[in-house]
Each structure stands twice: as structure tokens, then as C-alpha cells.
Amino acid sequence: MVISPHLKKERIILDLKSKERDDAIREMMEVMKGSPEIIDFEGFIKDVIERENLHTTGVGDGIALPHSRSKNVKDFFLIFGRSKEGIDFKAIDGKPVYLIFLMGSPQEALDVYLKVLAHINRFIGRNEELKKKLLEAETKEEIIEIIKSKEL
């Protein structure tokens, strides 16, 4: 499983301004306004926040994986966001989140959704060198290249 084909330059945010979890989700989703993958923009944001309220996607080690399989999504998408100051996602380790991978998927696309979710959690969550490079990258292209290089 590789995630780099799902990363698009226009869906990478290098410096999230939001300080709160829900605001960060909304800020990240702004890149999806008018995109063909979304059926109902506000409906999907609501789905993700409801999912977060049930159980945090702050998996620890500075990473969050907010996501939802939703009737408000037509096709799978992935957004990458980075916070320099950290965001309280109520992560399981109680620490701020700096790297966020937000995913949306149609309800019926369980296979891709679960594979990408598990892959990001394993692939990035336990790789301190990779996290450091993602935190230090200066361009969106660098983010994509860093991930591609580790997936080979």
C-alpha cells in the first residue's frame, strides 16, 4: 500500500493557522471546496467532527488521522496538514499533534479507506526520521518526495 498517489500538491498545507481541532479540520477542508470528490462539503465536515467526538484520531507521537466514510463523499481523498505550534486533538498520549492526514471516503469504499488508514499509522507513526523530515520540509513537493522515497 502506498499513499503518495493520493497526495496532491494543492491538498497539502504546510502551516496550519488553527489552534483547535475542529478549526484545523475546517481549515484543511477548505482545499476541497468545489472538488468533485465532495457531495456535501458542510455535511462531510460534520461527519468528521462527529467521528472525532466519538473517539480521537490523535494516534500519538504528534500525528492525527481524522477521517470519515461518508455519504457526503463521492471519491477517496487525502489532505496533509502541518502545524508548527501543535494542535490539541485529545491524542491518546495527551501530546499536541503536528502532522495531520485527513481522509474522506464513500461509505462503500471500506477496503482502500482501511488500508490507507492503517498504512499511515504504521508507516509514519513509528518512523521518527520520517516525521522529522516532514516537519522540516519547506515545500509541498518536498512533502510528496519524502513520502514517496520512504514507500519504495
Side-chain angles (χ1 to χ4, degrees):
M1 181 77 218
V2 292
I3 61 168
S4 55
H6 300 290
L7 278 176
K8 297 180 179 181
K9 207 168 50 170
E10 61 274 10
R11 295 182 183 168
I12 294 174
I13 304 164
L14 295 176
D15 188 15
L16 289 167
K17 304 295 181 217
S18 301
K19 308 286 185 242
E20 303 293 326
R21 178 197 75 185
D22 294 0
D23 294 337
I25 289 167
R26 287 184 181 283
E27 181 180 349
M28 290 178 72
M29 280 301 297
E30 283 297 311
V31 302
M32 296 301 292
K33 268 202 170 156
S35 80
E37 291 94 339
I38 301 289
I39 296 167
D40 179 346
F41 183 80
E42 288 298 327
F44 178 72
I45 291 172
K46 183 178 176 226
D47 293 341
V48 174
I49 291 171
E50 283 177 1
R51 165 70 185 80
E52 282 295 325
N53 289 335
L54 289 174
H55 191 287
T56 183
T57 62
V59 295
D61 294 320
I63 297 172
L65 307 170
H67 58 275
S68 180
R69 281 189 319 128
S70 168
K71 68 182 185 305
N72 296 307
V73 174
K74 191 184 297 183
D75 290 309
F76 180 84
F77 67 87
L78 176 64
I79 306 166
F80 172 81
R82 182 176 70 188
S83 170
K84 292 181 180 173
E85 296 180 24
I87 298 168
D88 182 5
F89 253 78
K90 310 283 186 264
I92 57 173
D93 63 1
K95 296 179 182 173
V97 163
Y98 299 93
L99 302 173
I100 304 168
F101 293 85
L102 192 157
M103 290 170 279
S105 172
Q107 289 178 321
E108 62 276 3
L110 183 61
D111 191 47
V112 170
Y113 173 80
L114 289 176
K115 284 181 180 176
V116 171
L117 195 60
H119 179 68
I120 292 172
N121 195 19
R122 278 192 313 268
F123 171 67
I124 295 171
R126 295 181 180 95
N127 189 328
E128 292 303 320
E129 176 192 349
L130 178 57
K131 282 190 285 191
K132 185 177 187 299
K133 286 182 178 182
L134 291 172
L135 288 168
E136 294 172 353
E138 294 182 21
T139 67
K140 295 174 180 189
E141 293 83 2
E142 255 186 279
I143 296 287
I144 293 169
E145 287 306 312
I146 289 165
I147 290 174
K148 273 185 185 175
S149 72
K150 295 298 181 183
E151 288 181 324
L152 298 176

